Amino acid sequence: MKKAKKLLQDLLSRSLNTEQIHYVGREVDPSFDLAEVSGFGDHIVIPRQVAAQCVIQYFSARDKLRDFIAKLIMLEGYGGSGGIIKLKGIEPILNELRESGFVLDREKGAFVRDQAQSKTQDWGFMREGQEYRLAFASLDIVGSSELVRTNVKVDVETTIRTLRDFVGSHVEFNNGRIWFWYGDGGMAAFIGDSCVQSAVMSCLGILAYLPVYNITRNALREESDIRLRIGVHYGSVEYHGDTSKMHSEDMERASRLEDRYGVPNSIMLSETAYNLLPDELRKYFQGAGSADFGSLYQSLTI
């Protein structure tokens, strides 16, 4: 970020006055006080070069400099304290951030890690310790203990590995991420306004292509087809970069849907997840009793 900071210093000094710099800073952090941070006090005019240095140091120390740059870009063309913001020379800064693996997501108004380069568990924008709403899909291999007992160890290990890749390809195609994989199953997460739809589409794809997987990639004995139970629920979790620390009641409910109520090669939805589906997907599910957290809905068995 060293070069980006220098470019930002030049841009702020040339494009914004002191009032505008202070205004953008407070839009990012309402507690930001340029007079206090600079040490000039309330009654002395702060040169724009000093204001630029102060705002860069302040947000760098709090790991929020990318947030400041994003807000600066989003405010371009709009008026605030100090007049309409017009930026001169923002592209070199964007190029520097792009080289570091960050791109601006205008919908979120923030810089996120470029998922085209490398898909990350946090979709490039999740913050440590913050709570997010997601769809969770818990998947489990039916009769895994019997498969282990009746097949050669190396074949079991090969099949588990290729199954994880097979599931992962469908999950990531629908903008999901596999957060856990235990050997005989795992937990996938999906985020966004249509996250439940993405989760269900992913799971339907997994089940639809599972026979093809069994024919072409399953290394177990011919009679040992892989079958899956799947549970999908919508809820929240506090994000941690160390996924082993992530746990929530809603993630547990997804696991319980699969474990207690799941049917082989079928998807079990919670009432919460079902209600968030569009009509064209709801028609592929039917009522299947209830749990202590609401009604259940099962997909037509594939």
Side-chain angles (χ1 to χ4, degrees), residues 8-282:
L8 181 60
Q9 169 82 37
D10 294 341
L11 180 144
L12 292 174
S13 298
R14 287 187 289 111
S15 303
L16 278 70
N17 57 44
T18 298
E19 281 187 65
Q20 290 172 321
I21 293 172
H22 187 207
Y23 169 71
V24 177
R26 288 184 65 82
E27 285 291 300
V28 180
D29 180 354
S31 66
F32 175 71
D33 187 331
L34 183 57
E36 180 181 331
V37 171
S38 67
F40 275 62
D42 294 322
H43 305 295
I44 301 176
V45 176
I46 304 171
R48 67 173 70 188
Q49 291 86 354
V50 174
Q53 290 173 356
C54 288
V55 80
I56 291 171
Q57 290 172 1
Y58 179 89
F59 286 105
S60 292
R62 289 157 179 78
D63 195 26
K64 287 188 173 182
L65 190 58
R66 285 190 299 271
D67 294 343
F68 177 84
I69 298 171
K71 180 62 70 174
L72 182 65
I73 294 170
M74 299 304 291
L75 288 173
E76 184 178 17
Y78 292 91
S81 177
I84 294 175
I85 294 173
K86 297 179 181 179
L87 303 179
K88 303 171 185 175
I90 191 64
E91 278 303 322
I93 297 174
L94 291 175
N95 290 337
E96 279 299 307
L97 290 171
R98 199 174 294 118
E99 286 291 319
S100 300
F102 290 92
V103 293
L104 180 64
D105 185 328
R106 288 187 174 273
E107 185 177 331
K108 293 183 174 67
F111 282 95
V112 302
R113 289 198 176 276
D114 188 356
Q115 300 298 292
Q117 291 185 17
S118 177
K119 288 182 168 57
T120 57
Q121 298 288 65
D122 61 357
W123 286 271
F125 69 88
M126 285 183 163
R127 297 291 181 90
E128 186 75 17
Q130 288 193 12
E131 188 173 86
Y132 296 91
R133 303 286 290 176
L134 305 100
F136 303 106
S138 178
L139 304 94
D140 188 67
I141 299 174
V142 177
S144 57
S145 298
E146 181 66 14
L147 294 178
V148 170
R149 189 183 66 82
T150 57
N151 285 273
V152 179
K153 181 180 179 181
V154 66
D155 291 342
V156 172
E157 292 174 348
T158 298
T159 298
I160 294 299
R161 185 177 64 254
T162 60
L163 179 67
R164 196 268 183 224
D165 292 341
F166 165 74
V167 170
S169 66
H170 284 274
V171 168
E172 291 188 357
F173 181 79
N174 289 279
N175 196 34
R177 301 289 186 271
I178 293 181
W179 273 0
F180 310 101
W181 191 261
Y182 310 107
D184 60 349
M187 177 77 71
F190 301 79
I191 200 164
D193 293 339
S194 301
C195 61
V196 175
Q197 179 175 340
S198 296
V200 170
M201 290 295 291
S202 174
C203 294
L204 286 172
I206 289 168
L207 294 180
Y209 282 93
L210 191 56
V212 178
Y213 168 83
N214 279 316
I215 293 169
T216 61
R217 303 179 70 183
N218 184 346
L220 304 179
R221 297 166 61 182
E222 187 175 346
E223 64 272 21
S224 298
D225 276 355
I226 294 294
R227 297 183 299 157
L228 296 172
R229 288 190 304 265
I230 303 175
V232 176
H233 180 59
Y234 175 78
S236 61
V237 68
E238 184 179 285
Y239 178 77
H240 295 283
D242 180 357
T243 54
S244 66
K245 295 181 179 179
M246 283 197 292
H247 179 79
S248 73
E249 183 178 350
D250 290 310
M251 293 176 72
E252 180 62 29
R253 284 177 174 176
S255 296
R256 285 164 56 197
L257 279 170
E258 162 265 303
D259 183 49
R260 297 186 187 180
Y261 307 100
V263 176
N265 287 357
S266 187
I267 305 166
M268 193 66 71
L269 291 182
S270 68
E271 184 174 358
T272 305
Y274 177 81
N275 288 337
L276 290 171
L277 284 180
D279 291 340
E280 58 266 28
L281 277 178
R282 284 188 192 179

